[in-house]
Amino acid sequence: MGRRVFVTGYGLLSSIGDDAESTLSSLLAGQSGIGQVKNVKTLLDRYPFGEISLTAKELMAKAGLDFASFYSRPFLLGLNAAQEAIRMAGVEEHLPTMGFVSSTTAAGMDLVEYCYGKLCEGDSSLAPLVDTMDCSDACNRIATMLGIRNFVTNISTACASSTNAIILGARLIRAGMVDRMLVGGMDSLVRFSINGFNALEIISPTGCHPFDNNRDGVTVAEGAAFLVLEAEEVVGERRVYGEIKGYANANSAFHQTASSPNGEGALKVMQASLRSAGLQPSEIDYINAHGTGTRNNDISEGRAMVACFGENLPPFSSTKGYTGHALAAAGAIEVIISLFTINNGVIFPNLRFETPMEELPITPVTALTKKEVRHVMSNSFGFGGADASLIISKV
């Protein structure tokens, strides 16, 4: 099995909070961050989105940066989340020897879209900003700014990206290749992503309500989340917030954007993550479901959960009703929410749920619930059949 992997710090920005503490407060208060978009110019602003309130200038100030127009929004979001995680873990002196696995889907598309507009006006002076479109751009910038010089890489596996970043970091620690890892992901709201989901006709006009019979689509959002993972023997007396107990990823290869109707890929990774953790299905106390609110995803994931757990399906909910779907960052955000669940003994509800699905009458948690939670399964399923499942446990 290798070395145990502990979480010693985390940081995040989402539509419900500019840091971990404010995000937890919003969750406890039942406050959703889904609403009208302000910082992105789009013809689809009739739809609600999950937007972070901070502007680029405010994000720069928060990160301690001087103003510069060439910082992409994902980089700024990611840097702030990474700085919070490092401060919380108290690992500043170990940064040069740490590893770093980041993730994104749209990369610096916000700057590329701005550059494209200028090019259409005949101004080519900003053409070098196209380089920010490289998915590794923000990753390399963050690593350089933090002084991480050991193992640095970026993952882009759609909506399972940051979950896979956590899995890779945990594997490297278990294998003895590195003692400490900074892992997670980031994405910002851009027209590229918004228009893509609109072309698929899966954006919710009302705000996503996962697992509901009348669900009408996903709520596209932005966010960033990073965790510090450390091998048990190097943690010392510092606080531990949870353990990465088990994990699995696979590719179902069913369809470019759709999950299989019966959720074969989802079932495979859930079962494999249980084996990796050495746990029985009955030992899982809560599932933080991927739960995007689309017709396809929720029935596919629901059937997979029932196949995995049978009649003893544990309490489950999707927290995307709070944050929206932050794409590459979603998995890491939800792992941190799972840590909140473990450390606060509370399960956060599936917002806006009213009617069970006709095809599968399962009901998520619908009210803030006090419960001792030792083991959480957190699922992430992305386009292209990218499936991943993590088990986070109390220490």
mmCIF file of all heavy atoms in Angstrom, residues 3-9 173 181 228-233 235 239-244 393 395:
data_model
loop_
_atom_site.group_PDB
_atom_site.id
_atom_site.type_symbol
_atom_site.label_atom_id
_atom_site.label_comp_id
_atom_site.label_asym_id
_atom_site.label_seq_id
_atom_site.Cartn_x
_atom_site.Cartn_y
_atom_site.Cartn_z
ATOM 1 N N ARG A 3 3.143 4.482 1.746
ATOM 2 C CA ARG A 3 3.011 5.411 2.865
ATOM 3 C C ARG A 3 1.612 6.034 2.950
ATOM 4 O O ARG A 3 0.934 6.205 1.938
ATOM 5 C CB ARG A 3 4.054 6.521 2.724
ATOM 6 C CG ARG A 3 5.475 5.984 2.673
ATOM 7 C CD ARG A 3 6.490 7.103 2.778
ATOM 8 N NE ARG A 3 6.449 8.005 1.633
ATOM 9 C CZ ARG A 3 7.210 9.102 1.542
ATOM 10 N NH1 ARG A 3 8.056 9.422 2.514
ATOM 11 N NH2 ARG A 3 7.146 9.864 0.478
ATOM 12 N N ARG A 4 1.188 6.377 4.155
ATOM 13 C CA ARG A 4 -0.086 7.077 4.335
ATOM 14 C C ARG A 4 0.077 8.522 3.879
ATOM 15 O O ARG A 4 1.134 9.143 4.048
ATOM 16 C CB ARG A 4 -0.526 7.029 5.798
ATOM 17 C CG ARG A 4 -0.819 5.621 6.288
ATOM 18 C CD ARG A 4 -1.182 5.623 7.758
ATOM 19 N NE ARG A 4 -2.510 6.192 8.004
ATOM 20 C CZ ARG A 4 -3.025 6.391 9.214
ATOM 21 N NH1 ARG A 4 -2.301 6.083 10.299
ATOM 22 N NH2 ARG A 4 -4.228 6.888 9.362
ATOM 23 N N VAL A 5 -0.994 9.081 3.298
ATOM 24 C CA VAL A 5 -0.966 10.432 2.743
ATOM 25 C C VAL A 5 -1.967 11.297 3.498
ATOM 26 O O VAL A 5 -3.179 11.023 3.467
ATOM 27 C CB VAL A 5 -1.302 10.418 1.234
ATOM 28 C CG1 VAL A 5 -1.273 11.839 0.674
ATOM 29 C CG2 VAL A 5 -0.332 9.517 0.483
ATOM 30 N N PHE A 6 -1.470 12.327 4.150
ATOM 31 C CA PHE A 6 -2.310 13.207 4.959
ATOM 32 C C PHE A 6 -2.491 14.569 4.289
ATOM 33 O O PHE A 6 -1.593 15.055 3.596
ATOM 34 C CB PHE A 6 -1.694 13.414 6.342
ATOM 35 C CG PHE A 6 -1.704 12.195 7.224
ATOM 36 C CD1 PHE A 6 -0.842 12.102 8.310
ATOM 37 C CD2 PHE A 6 -2.562 11.137 6.977
ATOM 38 C CE1 PHE A 6 -0.846 10.992 9.136
ATOM 39 C CE2 PHE A 6 -2.581 10.012 7.796
ATOM 40 C CZ PHE A 6 -1.709 9.939 8.879
ATOM 41 N N VAL A 7 -3.643 15.176 4.538
ATOM 42 C CA VAL A 7 -3.906 16.559 4.117
ATOM 43 C C VAL A 7 -3.580 17.463 5.290
ATOM 44 O O VAL A 7 -4.167 17.347 6.363
ATOM 45 C CB VAL A 7 -5.369 16.748 3.694
ATOM 46 C CG1 VAL A 7 -5.614 18.201 3.281
ATOM 47 C CG2 VAL A 7 -5.744 15.795 2.559
ATOM 48 N N THR A 8 -2.633 18.384 5.080
ATOM 49 C CA THR A 8 -2.228 19.289 6.163
ATOM 50 C C THR A 8 -2.586 20.745 5.893
ATOM 51 O O THR A 8 -2.394 21.602 6.758
ATOM 52 C CB THR A 8 -0.713 19.186 6.403
ATOM 53 O OG1 THR A 8 -0.020 19.523 5.192
ATOM 54 C CG2 THR A 8 -0.322 17.787 6.840
ATOM 55 N N GLY A 9 -3.134 21.027 4.714
ATOM 56 C CA GLY A 9 -3.534 22.392 4.408
ATOM 57 C C GLY A 9 -4.367 22.426 3.146
ATOM 58 O O GLY A 9 -4.281 21.525 2.301
ATOM 59 N N ILE A 173 3.578 10.316 -3.460
ATOM 60 C CA ILE A 173 3.974 10.230 -2.051
ATOM 61 C C ILE A 173 4.005 8.778 -1.600
ATOM 62 O O ILE A 173 4.955 8.328 -0.955
ATOM 63 C CB ILE A 173 3.021 11.060 -1.172
ATOM 64 C CG1 ILE A 173 3.216 12.561 -1.449
ATOM 65 C CG2 ILE A 173 3.268 10.769 0.318
ATOM 66 C CD1 ILE A 173 2.234 13.455 -0.727
ATOM 67 N N MET A 181 3.376 17.335 -1.505
ATOM 68 C CA MET A 181 2.819 17.729 -2.797
ATOM 69 C C MET A 181 1.806 18.857 -2.604
ATOM 70 O O MET A 181 1.052 18.865 -1.622
ATOM 71 C CB MET A 181 2.109 16.559 -3.470
ATOM 72 C CG MET A 181 3.000 15.410 -3.912
ATOM 73 S SD MET A 181 4.098 15.798 -5.283
ATOM 74 C CE MET A 181 2.958 16.342 -6.551
ATOM 75 N N VAL A 228 -2.394 20.654 0.329
ATOM 76 C CA VAL A 228 -1.041 20.185 0.635
ATOM 77 C C VAL A 228 -1.157 18.760 1.147
ATOM 78 O O VAL A 228 -1.858 18.499 2.130
ATOM 79 C CB VAL A 228 -0.347 21.080 1.671
ATOM 80 C CG1 VAL A 228 1.000 20.466 2.086
ATOM 81 C CG2 VAL A 228 -0.131 22.484 1.111
ATOM 82 N N LEU A 229 -0.518 17.840 0.443
ATOM 83 C CA LEU A 229 -0.469 16.442 0.855
ATOM 84 C C LEU A 229 0.930 16.138 1.381
ATOM 85 O O LEU A 229 1.925 16.574 0.795
ATOM 86 C CB LEU A 229 -0.770 15.512 -0.322
ATOM 87 C CG LEU A 229 -2.040 15.759 -1.134
ATOM 88 C CD1 LEU A 229 -2.186 14.688 -2.212
ATOM 89 C CD2 LEU A 229 -3.265 15.785 -0.235
ATOM 90 N N GLU A 230 1.005 15.370 2.476
ATOM 91 C CA GLU A 230 2.307 15.021 3.050
ATOM 92 C C GLU A 230 2.322 13.570 3.509
ATOM 93 O O GLU A 230 1.306 13.034 3.964
ATOM 94 C CB GLU A 230 2.635 15.922 4.243
ATOM 95 C CG GLU A 230 2.735 17.403 3.896
ATOM 96 C CD GLU A 230 3.240 18.237 5.065
ATOM 97 O OE1 GLU A 230 4.402 18.038 5.470
ATOM 98 O OE2 GLU A 230 2.460 19.064 5.573
ATOM 99 N N ALA A 231 3.482 12.954 3.401
ATOM 100 C CA ALA A 231 3.669 11.615 3.946
ATOM 101 C C ALA A 231 3.571 11.679 5.461
ATOM 102 O O ALA A 231 4.004 12.653 6.098
ATOM 103 C CB ALA A 231 5.029 11.061 3.527
ATOM 104 N N GLU A 232 2.981 10.652 6.038
ATOM 105 C CA GLU A 232 2.724 10.637 7.489
ATOM 106 C C GLU A 232 3.975 10.972 8.298
ATOM 107 O O GLU A 232 3.909 11.762 9.256
ATOM 108 C CB GLU A 232 2.203 9.257 7.888
ATOM 109 C CG GLU A 232 1.954 9.098 9.386
ATOM 110 C CD GLU A 232 1.520 7.693 9.749
ATOM 111 O OE1 GLU A 232 1.699 6.762 8.932
ATOM 112 O OE2 GLU A 232 0.980 7.519 10.856
ATOM 113 N N GLU A 233 5.116 10.427 7.919
ATOM 114 C CA GLU A 233 6.312 10.553 8.761
ATOM 115 C C GLU A 233 6.933 11.942 8.756
ATOM 116 O O GLU A 233 7.785 12.243 9.594
ATOM 117 C CB GLU A 233 7.360 9.516 8.354
ATOM 118 C CG GLU A 233 7.896 9.652 6.945
ATOM 119 C CD GLU A 233 7.124 8.792 5.963
ATOM 120 O OE1 GLU A 233 5.932 8.526 6.221
ATOM 121 O OE2 GLU A 233 7.711 8.404 4.940
ATOM 122 N N VAL A 235 5.004 14.828 8.822
ATOM 123 C CA VAL A 235 4.036 15.797 9.347
ATOM 124 C C VAL A 235 4.428 16.299 10.728
ATOM 125 O O VAL A 235 4.256 17.480 11.053
ATOM 126 C CB VAL A 235 2.624 15.175 9.386
ATOM 127 C CG1 VAL A 235 1.646 16.113 10.093
ATOM 128 C CG2 VAL A 235 2.141 14.886 7.971
ATOM 129 N N ARG A 239 -1.129 19.871 12.547
ATOM 130 C CA ARG A 239 -2.486 19.353 12.456
ATOM 131 C C ARG A 239 -2.709 18.636 11.123
ATOM 132 O O ARG A 239 -2.222 19.062 10.067
ATOM 133 C CB ARG A 239 -3.506 20.479 12.605
ATOM 134 C CG ARG A 239 -4.947 19.979 12.567
ATOM 135 C CD ARG A 239 -5.950 21.070 12.866
ATOM 136 N NE ARG A 239 -7.303 20.545 12.731
ATOM 137 C CZ ARG A 239 -8.410 21.267 12.901
ATOM 138 N NH1 ARG A 239 -8.322 22.548 13.217
ATOM 139 N NH2 ARG A 239 -9.603 20.713 12.752
ATOM 140 N N VAL A 240 -3.479 17.567 11.175
ATOM 141 C CA VAL A 240 -3.876 16.809 9.997
ATOM 142 C C VAL A 240 -5.388 16.927 9.848
ATOM 143 O O VAL A 240 -6.134 16.758 10.815
ATOM 144 C CB VAL A 240 -3.456 15.331 10.127
ATOM 145 C CG1 VAL A 240 -4.075 14.498 9.025
ATOM 146 C CG2 VAL A 240 -1.936 15.206 10.111
ATOM 147 N N TYR A 241 -5.853 17.202 8.636
ATOM 148 C CA TYR A 241 -7.284 17.419 8.410
ATOM 149 C C TYR A 241 -7.988 16.211 7.790
ATOM 150 O O TYR A 241 -9.212 16.158 7.753
ATOM 151 C CB TYR A 241 -7.486 18.648 7.504
ATOM 152 C CG TYR A 241 -6.986 19.906 8.171
ATOM 153 C CD1 TYR A 241 -5.671 20.344 7.975
ATOM 154 C CD2 TYR A 241 -7.802 20.633 9.023
ATOM 155 C CE1 TYR A 241 -5.198 21.481 8.606
ATOM 156 C CE2 TYR A 241 -7.340 21.764 9.668
ATOM 157 C CZ TYR A 241 -6.031 22.182 9.462
ATOM 158 O OH TYR A 241 -5.560 23.297 10.099
ATOM 159 N N GLY A 242 -7.213 15.270 7.306
ATOM 160 C CA GLY A 242 -7.792 14.077 6.723
ATOM 161 C C GLY A 242 -6.729 13.268 6.023
ATOM 162 O O GLY A 242 -5.572 13.685 5.894
ATOM 163 N N GLU A 243 -7.115 12.091 5.571
ATOM 164 C CA GLU A 243 -6.199 11.190 4.876
ATOM 165 C C GLU A 243 -6.765 10.840 3.504
ATOM 166 O O GLU A 243 -7.967 10.580 3.374
ATOM 167 C CB GLU A 243 -6.000 9.905 5.686
ATOM 168 C CG GLU A 243 -5.092 8.882 5.003
ATOM 169 C CD GLU A 243 -4.894 7.612 5.816
ATOM 170 O OE1 GLU A 243 -5.505 7.506 6.903
ATOM 171 O OE2 GLU A 243 -4.148 6.728 5.363
ATOM 172 N N ILE A 244 -5.909 10.872 2.497
ATOM 173 C CA ILE A 244 -6.306 10.362 1.185
ATOM 174 C C ILE A 244 -6.178 8.845 1.271
ATOM 175 O O ILE A 244 -5.104 8.276 1.114
ATOM 176 C CB ILE A 244 -5.428 10.938 0.058
ATOM 177 C CG1 ILE A 244 -5.439 12.478 0.101
ATOM 178 C CG2 ILE A 244 -5.918 10.428 -1.291
ATOM 179 C CD1 ILE A 244 -6.807 13.103 -0.072
ATOM 180 N N SER A 393 -10.589 10.161 4.469
ATOM 181 C CA SER A 393 -10.929 9.575 5.751
ATOM 182 C C SER A 393 -10.450 10.426 6.917
ATOM 183 O O SER A 393 -9.481 11.185 6.813
ATOM 184 C CB SER A 393 -10.305 8.169 5.886
ATOM 185 O OG SER A 393 -10.820 7.311 4.893
ATOM 186 N N VAL A 395 -8.660 11.038 10.452
ATOM 187 C CA VAL A 395 -7.449 10.478 11.043
ATOM 188 C C VAL A 395 -7.605 10.424 12.556
ATOM 189 O O VAL A 395 -8.019 11.386 13.177
ATOM 190 C CB VAL A 395 -6.208 11.326 10.673
ATOM 191 C CG1 VAL A 395 -4.962 10.798 11.341
ATOM 192 C CG2 VAL A 395 -6.043 11.346 9.158
#
